């Protein structure tokens, strides 16, 4: 069975891992110019959010 984990990083994007390999970084701050992917804009705007992990 494939293991999928979504890790919302502290003050950053959601990292999608499939079987332990990072496959995507998705924007959580809403400021990315490359939505739904993270482009690092969270750093420029000072995005703040707690880290959490979701197992799918």
């Amino acid at each position: 069975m494939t293991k999928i984990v979504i890790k919302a990083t502290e003050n950053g994007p959601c990292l999608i891992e499939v079987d332990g390999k990072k496959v995507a970084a998705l924007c959580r701050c809403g400021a990315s110019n490359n939505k739904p992917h993270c482009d690092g804009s969270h750093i420029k705007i000072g995005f703040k959010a707690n880290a959490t992990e979701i197992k799918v």
Side-chain angles (χ1 to χ4, degrees):
M1 181 191 273
T2 302
K3 180 180 177 188
I4 300 171
V5 178
I6 302 170
K7 293 182 180 179
T9 62
E10 183 175 2
N11 305 328
C14 285
L15 301 178
I16 311 302
E17 295 182 356
V18 177
D19 291 332
K21 296 179 183 177
K22 291 179 188 163
V23 296
L26 302 178
C27 177
R28 297 203 291 164
C29 73
S32 176
N33 289 315
N34 192 28
K35 290 181 189 97
H37 303 283
C38 176
D39 69 358
S41 293
H42 58 275
I43 297 168
K44 295 177 194 172
I45 67 165
F47 178 71
K48 301 289 181 202
N50 293 325
T52 189
E53 185 173 303
I54 303 164
K55 294 183 181 177
V56 181

